[in-house]
Amino acid sequence: MQCNATALANAMLQAKFFKEDEAGFFITRGKQWMTYRKIGVAAMNGSPLDRLAGKMAERSEALVARWTAEVGDGGTLEVDINDATQAVTMEVMYEALFSEQLDIIAQEPGAVALLRSFKDFNLATSDLFNDFLKLYQKFDTPAVQQRRKHAGSLSAHFDVRADQRLADISAMGIGEVPHDLLTTLLSARDPTTGAALSRDDVNTSLKDMMSAGHDGTSSTIACMLTMLAANPVALAAVTAEVDAVVDGNGGSLPSTVAAAKQLTKTDDAIKETLRLYPAVLVVQRTADVGGELRRASGAFRGGGGRNGATSTACPLGLGGGGGGGSGSRAKSKGGGAGSATSGDETFQVPEGARMWISPYVMGRSPEHWGGDAADTATYRPERFAEAEASGTSLDAYMPFGGGPRVCLGSRLAMLQGKVLVAAILRNFDLDLSPTLQARMMAGGGELPISYASQTISFTEPLLLRVKPRRRKLGTGEVEAASPTSTAV
């Protein structure tokens, strides 16, 4: 990465690093959170994103090579597409954190063990999202013991890399080591005291970023590929675009941010996937001041005083405490009780209230998507191009949240989705497995998902059948395959 860690540390806001028992990107607030935000933005955007685009293309090609070897000549391979996307996204995220190769795709034992440990850690921590009062996690339950065990395993892994990086910085200077997230965290200093982040804070931040950059992204790409396999018209449109972009690049995948921007239909297909299947069920905001919220437009309006403001915040629930959304604050910029009416759908929002905003519900509410219930429930990626052409606002679309705490890895997630999907569709035809096709047809075309821990998971494997395409790369010559899936 081309960021200067020393300059970054000097540019940080005057913030204390030690206000929480354990600090990181998601559980801090105020100036402390802003400090972490600056670190994350520097690590996941700009020139670092271009470097990671090349890594995405490289690891996507590795997955294609593995599938090609396994399927043989003219055969068909059944894959758990979520397992495949998890492997690629974890390898890319590991590169972003440590500038090291992690070869899960080739089933390198150490890499597979790390992924397994990370999955076990996520499973052991999933209950925390629903412990709104923060009660039972304080007891030494079996779940807490498992969480401690897996957190310790990951921390030990991170410690080895941090110790080696510190030794390299000492021996060679900070300009001669990779400028990834690990270096940025280790070199950051509190501008008031000169203190470094504690090792616990560094490890927590690494776990936060690994989780945010891996889980949601891999699930989204898996959902997208499955929905494309279930909708042949959308699949044909995206595949044709991939063919045109890849052929224009001599058969190679886009490996820069600029090159990936050509995949506009692919981008819309990811957006449509996130509309129906966002990575998180709810995001939370805290009202800095009181006001009223009306359901019809989702406008949060404070009373007279300092500049009125709005926030797309409906449907929602109101709660007075706890929650898993990091406690960020929504500023209404109003001075007191406001007034807004729309039938009976008006809610008084007291100062300090927690607002639960559901991207899932908003993405499926016909009132926000033209009023046609059948169309809203349909996977139709072209709706985003139509909205852009007509100038229609899509304020209800917020799968990455919104405001200052909008997901800092959203550009990374969208880029990774486009590159990996392009690699797969360039080389393979996709169909639903008979089992998954029957399951989706029985469920009205819906994927087998759960939001039990507030983040998306799958209740059964997303099994797809992949078959090598009869295609001469770089020539545009294609012998169309006969899909076995019908639209569901």
Side-chain angles (χ1 to χ4, degrees), residues 35-75:
T35 298
Y36 280 100
R37 179 80 182 183
K38 283 178 174 285
I39 293 173
V41 168
M44 296 295 163
N45 292 277
S47 58
L49 198 59
D50 253 338
R51 182 178 74 88
L52 291 175
K55 177 59 65 171
M56 293 170 196
E58 174 193 316
R59 302 320 297 158
S60 297
E61 293 283 19
L63 179 68
V64 165
R66 175 182 166 183
W67 283 1
T68 301
E70 290 182 0
V71 75
D73 186 21

Side-chain angles (χ1 to χ4, degrees), residues 12 18 52 109 198 208 217 235 264 272 296-298 311 322 334 343 360 433 438 444 455 462 482:
M12 289 179 178
F18 307 114
L52 291 175
S198 72
D208 283 351
T217 303
L235 175 60
T264 56
E272 180 73 341
S297 66
S311 172
Y360 179 89
S433 69
T455 56
L462 298 184
S482 301

Side-chain angles (χ1 to χ4, degrees), residues 119-306:
K119 288 182 177 180
D120 289 341
F121 170 75
N122 279 348
L123 182 63
T125 57
S126 61
D127 62 319
L128 296 179
F129 292 103
N130 293 321
D131 186 11
F132 301 118
L133 298 180
K134 301 187 183 299
L135 292 177
Y136 65 81
Q137 62 183 280
K138 298 182 182 297
F139 297 97
D140 195 28
T141 64
V144 170
Q145 294 168 9
Q146 285 295 306
R147 184 157 55 248
R148 189 183 305 124
K149 170 188 173 183
H150 297 306
S153 176
L154 286 176
S155 292
H157 183 88
F158 296 158
D159 280 341
V160 172
R161 275 130 196 91
D163 290 342
Q164 183 60 55
R165 185 64 55 83
L166 287 171
D168 291 343
I169 292 173
S170 177
M172 299 183 293
I174 197 168
E176 300 302 319
V177 300
H179 286 284
D180 48 27
L181 185 61
L182 178 61
T183 294
T184 303
L185 290 168
L186 292 174
S187 60
R189 295 294 181 269
D190 186 306
T192 302
T193 67
L197 288 168
S198 72
R199 185 58 65 86
D200 282 346
D201 288 352
V202 171
N203 287 341
T204 296
S205 297
L206 292 171
K207 288 195 287 276
D208 283 351
M209 292 303 292
M210 184 177 283
S211 179
H214 165 254
D215 284 358
T217 303
S218 63
S219 297
T220 295
I221 301 171
C223 285
M224 175 189 176
L225 288 165
T226 305
M227 291 304 292
L228 287 175
N231 293 273
V233 173
L235 175 60
V238 174
T239 301
E241 176 184 76
V242 168
D243 288 347
V245 170
V246 168
D247 287 342
N249 199 33
S252 297
L253 296 176
S255 57
T256 65
V257 174
K261 285 182 178 178
Q262 301 174 76
L263 296 169
T264 56
K265 285 186 172 63
T266 311
D267 189 80
D268 287 344
I270 301 174
K271 291 177 180 176
E272 180 73 341
T273 302
L274 285 165
R275 179 182 73 86
L276 293 170
Y277 301 101
V280 296
L281 180 63
V282 295
V283 295
Q284 297 183 30
R285 295 293 183 263
T286 302
D288 272 351
V289 297
E292 284 191 346
L293 183 142
R294 55 189 175 88
R295 186 177 189 278
S297 66
F300 179 74
R301 307 204 320 194
R306 302 168 292 155

